[in-house]
Amino acid sequence: MDDLTGRCALVTGGSRGIGRAIAFALAAAGADIAINYRERRADAEVVASEIRRGGRRAVALAADVASAEEVKRLMATVELALGSVEILVNNAGVAWPVTLDTLDMSLWDSTIAINLTSAFLVTQAALPSMRARRWGRIINISSTAAQIGGIVGPHYAASKAGMIGMTHGYASLLAGEGITANVVAPAMIDTDMIRSNDRARPEKIPLGRFGHVEEVAEAVVMLARNGFITGQTINVNGGVYMN
């Protein structure tokens, strides 16, 4: 297993929930952390401050990662603050539950842009330095909705399924360059996103409870440290979907 000490990790959407737990877990494993956020500056600054108190370097950086120009600026800022991104966690995302009757083109486009296009943009921006070093970890946070449809809607399921296909593409093309690409697909994790959806109930889960954000973060750290796993989807879902 690779030592992550001093590695630079970027976690998009890292100010709360799953992203926050991932940032803390990677820092505990020795990485320096760039916490990306779009609006929640105070929350992101708290995460960065706690990581710095634990002895690792950390910065909180605002950027809309669905914008190519803002991604370019984000990566340049991370480079100046912490060095080149070596571990990329594409976690930024939205889940807007709708009915089939209220799903429209605007919501479709916004969901695809925030959940899928952002991951493509940030990955493309991080790849040149990873390829130059011949070491990198790309970890995309998808959802079990990609496999079973889920409770949010087709727009969300499609965006998360797209992440899995995109990951397979990067994994196959980069396997000979020391760069792995994998997916973590959570379901029913106890976050604001789940608590705000009245269709999310623990009795739907074979294990009988919601998952913890730390359980997702553990899978991310494992993938960051393991150089022989690539092109895989790690399901963290309490048995909702088994493969």
Side-chain angles (χ1 to χ4, degrees):
M1 302 291 277
D2 287 345
D3 184 1
L4 302 185
T5 303
R7 298 282 190 186
C8 173
L10 169 61
V11 182
T12 69
S15 64
R16 61 175 177 156
I18 290 173
R20 181 178 187 271
I22 291 169
F24 284 142
L26 287 171
D32 298 324
I33 313 294
I35 301 109
N36 158 253
Y37 66 95
R38 187 172 63 172
E39 297 174 346
R40 294 176 174 269
R41 178 178 178 179
D43 292 340
E45 292 288 358
V46 167
V47 177
S49 178
E50 290 189 21
I51 290 172
R52 287 193 294 267
R53 279 200 296 272
R56 302 310 315 171
R57 296 186 299 160
V59 291
L61 302 170
D64 177 357
V65 288
S67 162
E69 284 302 312
E70 292 201 32
V71 166
K72 182 178 179 180
R73 176 177 54 79
L74 170 66
M75 299 303 286
T77 307
V78 174
E79 175 88 30
L80 287 173
L82 301 176
S84 299
V85 173
E86 297 165 284
I87 302 164
L88 171 61
V89 183
N90 286 307
N91 169 72
V94 293
W96 293 313
V98 294
T99 65
L100 289 178
D101 294 332
T102 56
L103 177 58
D104 58 21
M105 198 67 202
S106 175
L107 188 59
W108 174 274
D109 286 344
S110 296
T111 301
I112 296 295
I114 296 169
N115 290 2
L116 179 57
T117 303
S118 67
F120 165 74
L121 291 173
V122 182
T123 300
Q124 287 291 104
L127 273 179
S129 63
M130 289 185 181
R131 298 182 79 183
R133 293 169 181 262
R134 297 189 67 81
W135 196 98
R137 301 287 183 264
I138 301 164
I139 302 166
N140 295 319
I141 307 303
S142 178
S143 168
T144 304
Q147 297 139 332
I148 63 172
I151 60 175
V152 178
H155 57 309
Y156 181 76
S159 70
K160 293 301 187 178
M163 294 184 84
I164 294 176
M166 182 181 69
T167 303
H168 290 167
Y170 281 122
S172 62
L173 292 172
L174 296 168
E177 299 187 41
I179 301 167
T180 65
N182 290 287
V183 173
V184 175
M188 299 290 191
I189 305 300
D190 190 9
T191 62
D192 292 344
M193 189 179 293
I194 284 296
R195 288 190 290 270
S196 65
N197 190 330
D198 58 11
R199 295 177 63 195
R201 298 189 298 275
E203 58 265 28
K204 292 184 175 182
I205 306 168
L207 284 181
R209 65 170 176 85
F210 291 137
H212 304 303
V213 291
E214 292 80 9
E215 292 170 315
V216 181
E218 287 176 358
V220 171
V221 172
M222 181 272 292
L223 291 173
R225 296 183 63 208
N226 192 305
F228 200 61
I229 299 176
T230 196
Q232 305 303 311
T233 297
I234 308 300
N235 293 295
V236 185
N237 62 28
V240 170
Y241 171 80
M242 301 183 187
N243 67 342

